[in-house]
Amino acid sequence: MDFGSQYTQLIARRIREQNVFSEILPPDTSLSDIESRRPKAVIISGGPSSVFADDSPDYDADIFGIDIPILGICYGLQLIAKHYNGKVAPGTKGEYGFAKIHLKNSNALLNEIPDDSQVWLSHMDKVTEIPDGWSVLAESSNGVVAAMSSPDGKRYATQFHPEVVHTTHGETIIKNFLFKISECDTSWTPGNFIQAQIEKIQAQVGDNHVLCGVSGGVDSSVVAALMHKAIGNRCTSVLIDHGLLRKNEAEQCVSALQNGLGVNIQSFDESEKFLTKLSQIEEPEQKRKIIGEQFIRSFENIAGRLGQFDYLAQGTLYPDVIESGVSHGKSAHVIKSHHNVGGLPEEMEFDLVEPLRELFKDEVRRVGRELGLPEDLVDRHPFPGPGLAVRIIGEITKERISVLQQADEIYMNCLHEAGIYDDIWQAFSVLIPVKTVGVMGDQRTYDNLLGLRAVTSSDGMTADWYRMPENVLSTISNRIVNSVKGINRVVYDITSKPPGTIEWE
């Protein structure tokens, strides 16, 4: 139950890492809706609100009558305490960051957790009196209730965040709740996901035909392979070359899917249409909307030539949905429109099939391996649907596309040669509309600035800049400046996410 915590998606990930399926629902989801899903347990997330605030999230209090375990985290602890008539006091001085917890009672939730364990706290309000009959399982170093449980062994709560890596034994706590308390099974595996999605796809599309959009990246390639496995040649995969792919990417992707897995795929060069509509457009959101619109129009046109299609399959992922503000909760901010989510036009001739919509990137890679996709395709760094359009800052021209393609190819080759490509979540080049003075062969140059970006991450929701070895940076810079006409200076981006996004636009 998402009460607005910045860590809600992380809770879901930590559960899935244990091969247990988890689903995020808004806080006001009804008890009947929850029960219809036949869950093994409910977790109430943290959140920025106070249980005393008038604008605190609405929720169905009947959920506390459900006869399965419930775990409250941070705000969830305070909400549980308040519901069961404990006392919560408004905080005047919060607990933030690292702390130690002192165990007070033995319990399944904190089984095998040593005393004085490090945890991560982030709260203002605190529980001053637990509900009647409940037990304090642990206190933080300043005497605040850090964990508690109900006498029937069905309700648990922690003031700290077991889902973050700063809580040193957080994984054990989550495993205790999943397996010792909730008796979950470990059936959430790539193989089971594939089988479930095959059945879901078959039920959704029936005997109809599906057009599958392939961009060249791992997400859409996995969708193409999954659709082929589900309905065979009734799915026609289409790669639209919008002129903004990486160098030789269209040919490589088609070959991997067609020759490697027997996927029914065709490639269409629509670059002139895209580049004409993008002419003189510099604003990034406008670029994304134009590309999203043209993708659908191109698909509609191609579909008309290929046959009758009622469905469009695409590689939307969970982070795409979250960042586009189309989340389960009501308070998500639109960070940027993804061309296959927020960039979709309102009027389309297709119903959507999005089998990866609830997955994170690392889960998609595991599914891809299970489906038999080649490693070089599965492990390819994420690539945005709008392609190089959002890596060329300012106006998009054929000349600027060519310059960036050449530079980016050198960058990727250097990473592979250094053996560090797989250590990086995402690396790419950005062509910046700033010219600088240089000297080449005793002659003055006045050419483009190129930005290099490389980050580490597990799911794309947060990221840290990659500490690139100095000798590798030097090699990359020298090769690009000496080989790519139009670039005379290279810089390296050391911004994490947040505050920045991974892509520049």
Side-chain angles (χ1 to χ4, degrees):
M1 308 289 288
D2 181 12
F3 280 78
S5 170
Q6 61 181 316
Y7 303 126
T8 297
Q9 286 74 44
L10 191 55
I11 299 171
R13 287 186 49 75
R14 292 291 177 258
I15 297 169
R16 292 184 183 194
E17 286 169 2
Q18 303 302 324
N19 293 328
V20 175
F21 179 70
S22 62
E23 186 175 7
I24 298 172
L25 299 176
D28 58 356
T29 303
S30 68
L31 173 61
S32 60
D33 191 349
I34 293 172
E35 288 182 325
S36 70
R37 301 165 192 273
R38 299 174 63 194
K40 294 286 256 178
V42 171
I43 294 180
I44 299 173
S45 81
S49 300
S50 167
V51 292
F52 303 104
D54 292 336
D55 61 351
S56 60
D58 292 329
Y59 70 98
D60 183 353
D62 289 342
I63 64 172
F64 289 111
I66 196 169
D67 190 29
I68 56 174
I70 296 178
L71 171 66
I73 296 175
C74 196
Y75 179 87
L77 174 137
Q78 296 156 20
L79 189 69
I80 287 175
K82 183 172 180 288
H83 176 81
Y84 287 99
N85 299 315
K87 292 183 179 179
V88 182
T92 55
K93 182 180 179 182
E95 287 185 301
Y96 298 100
F98 298 106
K100 300 282 188 180
I101 58 169
H102 304 303
L103 303 185
K104 307 293 286 185
N105 285 288
S106 176
N107 185 275
L109 184 68
L110 301 184
N111 186 44
E112 298 184 7
I113 306 302
D115 196 30
D116 270 355
S117 293
Q118 177 181 284
V119 298
W120 180 261
L121 290 155
S122 179
H123 71 101
M124 281 290 292
D125 296 351
K126 61 183 180 181
V127 172
T128 57
E129 187 177 316
I130 65 172
D132 287 344
W134 286 49
S135 299
V136 175
L137 304 181
E139 291 181 349
S140 53
S141 45
N142 61 356
V144 173
V145 174
M148 64 182 191
S149 67
S150 63
D152 63 359
K154 290 289 184 73
R155 304 291 180 260
Y156 300 83
T158 65
Q159 186 61 76
F160 57 89
H161 290 271
E163 70 274 21
V164 303
V165 294
H166 307 301
T167 297
T168 51
H169 296 278
E171 182 180 358
T172 300
I173 294 171
I174 289 173
K175 289 169 71 172
N176 286 342
F177 180 72
L178 294 177
F179 304 119
K180 287 182 167 53
I181 295 169
S182 306
E183 300 181 348
C184 295
D185 58 52
T186 55
S187 60
W188 173 246
T189 64
N192 287 341
F193 172 82
I194 290 168
Q195 186 55 44
Q197 286 301 316
I198 286 173
E199 294 172 4
K200 187 175 179 180
I201 290 165
Q202 291 170 342
Q204 180 182 359
V205 307
D207 295 327
N208 295 307
H209 289 254
V210 179
L211 193 65
C212 178
V214 176
S215 68
V218 61
D219 308 333
S220 59
S221 298
V222 168
V223 170
L226 190 56
M227 295 301 298
H228 177 72
K229 197 171 182 68
I231 60 173
N233 285 335
R234 283 194 291 115
C235 178
T236 300
S237 292
V238 170
L239 189 149
I240 292 181
D241 185 353
H242 51 19
L244 297 158
L245 296 173
R246 290 168 285 204
K247 194 173 180 181
N248 301 322
E249 187 165 38
E251 295 85 351
Q252 293 168 357
C253 180
V254 169
S255 176
L257 290 171
Q258 194 172 63
N259 301 329
L261 298 177
V263 171
N264 176 23
I265 184 170
Q266 300 180 48
S267 178
F268 294 84
D269 186 352
E270 297 276 293
S271 57
E272 289 299 326
K273 293 179 182 177
F274 281 87
L275 297 183
T276 297
K277 291 196 172 183
L278 288 167
S279 177
Q280 299 184 331
I281 301 298
E282 297 187 5
E283 205 280 318
E285 273 296 283
Q286 195 173 358
K287 289 179 185 177
R288 289 177 179 272
K289 295 291 186 181
I290 288 171
I291 291 169
E293 171 82 26
Q294 185 55 49
F295 257 116
I296 297 299
R297 299 309 166 217
S298 290
F299 276 123
E300 289 175 341
N301 181 268
I302 291 166
R305 286 185 270 157
L306 295 177
Q308 177 63 41
F309 296 93
D310 301 294
Y311 294 90
L312 170 65
Q314 61 179 14
T316 304
L317 300 193
Y318 198 31
D320 299 340
V321 176
I322 297 298
E323 288 197 338
S324 295
V326 193
S327 70
H328 290 296
K330 298 178 180 179
S331 59
H333 288 262
V334 177
I335 299 170
K336 56 187 177 184
S337 296
H338 290 261
H339 84 278
N340 56 349
V341 184
L344 289 173
E346 293 180 3
E347 299 296 328
M348 295 191 302
E349 297 178 3
F350 307 105
D351 289 327
L352 292 178
V353 180
E354 297 176 311
L356 309 182
R357 189 178 177 89
E358 298 295 332
L359 294 190
F360 293 96
K361 178 72 74 172
D362 57 321
E363 294 172 324
V364 174
R365 295 191 198 282
R366 290 199 290 271
V367 170
R369 291 188 183 94
E370 186 78 14
L371 287 167
L373 267 66
E375 284 295 319
D376 61 342
L377 184 55
V378 171
D379 289 331
R380 184 175 295 172
H381 290 178
F383 188 65
L388 301 182
V390 293
R391 295 177 179 175
I392 295 174
I393 310 298
E395 186 178 3
I396 298 169
T397 65
K398 289 184 178 180
E399 179 185 4
R400 300 189 79 205
I401 293 171
S402 177
V403 168
L404 186 55
Q405 284 177 330
Q406 294 174 62
D408 202 62
E409 182 182 41
I410 292 171
Y411 185 17
M412 295 305 107
N413 288 341
C414 288
L415 295 180
H416 282 293
E417 289 172 13
I420 60 175
Y421 181 88
D422 291 336
D423 297 335
I424 299 168
W425 164 267
Q426 189 171 3
F428 57 90
S429 309
V430 181
L431 192 60
I432 305 165
V434 172
K435 291 194 172 184
T436 69
V437 174
V439 178
M440 302 181 81
D442 294 329
Q443 291 187 335
R444 177 186 184 274
T445 62
Y446 190 57
D447 281 324
N448 292 287
L449 173 67
L450 184 81
L452 301 180
R453 180 80 157 135
V455 300
T456 57
S457 181
S458 60
D459 53 25
M461 298 300 291
T462 61
D464 191 17
W465 63 277
Y466 179 70
R467 274 60 176 175
M468 187 80 68
E470 186 177 326
N471 64 314
V472 178
L473 274 177
S474 178
T475 299
I476 296 167
S477 177
N478 287 337
R479 286 191 190 175
I480 290 174
V481 170
N482 289 316
S483 304
V484 182
K485 185 178 180 181
I487 295 175
N488 71 349
R489 192 179 300 270
V490 176
V491 297
Y492 189 57
D493 181 354
I494 60 169
T495 311
S496 295
K497 174 188 179 180
T501 55
I502 295 177
E503 296 285 346
W504 279 35
E505 288 196 338

